[in-house]
Amino acid sequence: MELGYNFLHCFFYLFYRSLFAAKAVNKENVPNKGGVIIAANHLSNWDPMLISCFIKRPIGYMAKQELFDVPLLGSALRTFHSFPVRRGTVDRTAIRTAINKLVSGECMGVFPEGHRSKTGELQQAATGVALIAAKAAVPVIPTAVINTNKIFGSGSFFPKVCVAYGKPIYYTSASTNRAELQKFTDMIMHEIQNLINSCKT
């Protein structure tokens, strides 16, 4: 890993482990090489760093355009190989960028819900992650983050946080019509919910 990424990787690992007793579950499910999508629920802006700090290979994120305008966060996202996506529209440039990165063997993080959950519960997910997985022909790792929405929050300043990586799932349909994409998206979100439940028990 390059110097900037390596520094932030180590920093956030120590940050989460020392302040929030962070743990990772089944990180071996993330392959060490080859294109792969990490698809996670989204609770806060702390999510990308938590997901990445336990994985040795770089993870680039498809993140909303507005985040890149925040000085420190934008710089961190760029160091973490991230690129912007415009919400509320079909951003074909972002989709092509994602597919190209995956085909070239990179690991990419995506939040299918598209925005942070205010309640902590899973929200309706868009089918973009399914389309990208189908076009790039790469597996998806359903991933759950727990309690990042409570970091430095009222009543739970230092919550225990967790990230759980599920087993890879593949888009196997010969069609990419909306129904098939939705079916695969629902499968991803179902696995994420199972991971959330397992971490809370």
Side-chain angles (χ1 to χ4, degrees):
M1 292 184 285
E2 65 270 22
L3 184 61
Y5 186 98
N6 195 39
F7 171 78
L8 287 178
H9 187 272
C10 293
F11 172 83
F12 280 112
Y13 176 81
L14 294 173
F15 173 79
Y16 284 112
R17 288 286 291 167
S18 60
L19 295 182
F20 307 103
K23 67 175 182 178
V25 179
N26 296 329
K27 61 183 180 180
E28 67 276 5
N29 284 334
V30 181
N32 293 324
K33 60 182 180 179
V36 63
I37 298 172
I38 308 293
N41 62 312
H42 198 12
L43 299 178
S44 80
N45 289 335
W46 295 105
D47 297 340
M49 290 76 81
L50 176 64
I51 294 168
S52 296
C53 73
F54 287 101
I55 303 301
K56 293 182 179 179
R57 63 184 298 189
I59 303 176
Y61 290 89
M62 179 186 286
K64 63 181 181 180
Q65 176 70 54
E66 296 87 338
L67 294 180
F68 290 83
D69 298 327
V70 180
L72 292 178
L73 180 60
S75 297
L77 285 171
R78 291 184 182 91
T79 302
F80 271 92
H81 299 265
S82 299
F83 60 96
V85 59
R86 291 172 295 171
R87 296 193 303 173
T89 183
V90 179
D91 191 337
R92 299 187 186 280
T93 298
I95 291 174
R96 284 196 300 269
T97 299
I99 293 171
N100 290 338
K101 285 178 173 290
L102 291 164
V103 170
S104 67
E106 295 187 35
C107 180
M108 192 181 74
V110 176
F111 299 105
E113 296 163 289
H115 53 82
R116 290 169 290 171
S117 172
K118 295 180 180 180
T119 64
E121 302 296 322
L122 289 184
Q123 308 297 302
Q124 181 65 40
T127 58
V129 62
L131 178 63
I132 293 169
K135 295 293 185 180
V138 297
V140 176
I141 306 293
T143 301
V145 292
I146 307 295
N147 284 342
T148 53
N149 55 323
K150 298 178 181 179
I151 290 177
F152 301 142
S154 175
S156 55
F157 206 70
F158 296 111
K160 292 183 178 181
V161 300
C162 174
V163 55
Y165 307 91
K167 294 183 179 180
I169 56 178
Y170 296 82
Y171 190 91
T172 57
S173 175
S175 171
T176 55
N177 62 39
R178 185 170 183 80
E180 291 298 322
L181 292 175
Q182 187 63 59
K183 181 179 178 180
F184 188 67
T185 301
D186 292 343
M187 183 187 305
I188 293 170
M189 301 309 291
H190 178 74
E191 292 301 317
I192 291 174
Q193 185 64 66
N194 286 342
L195 291 167
I196 292 173
N197 294 342
S198 67
C199 284
K200 289 182 177 179
T201 57

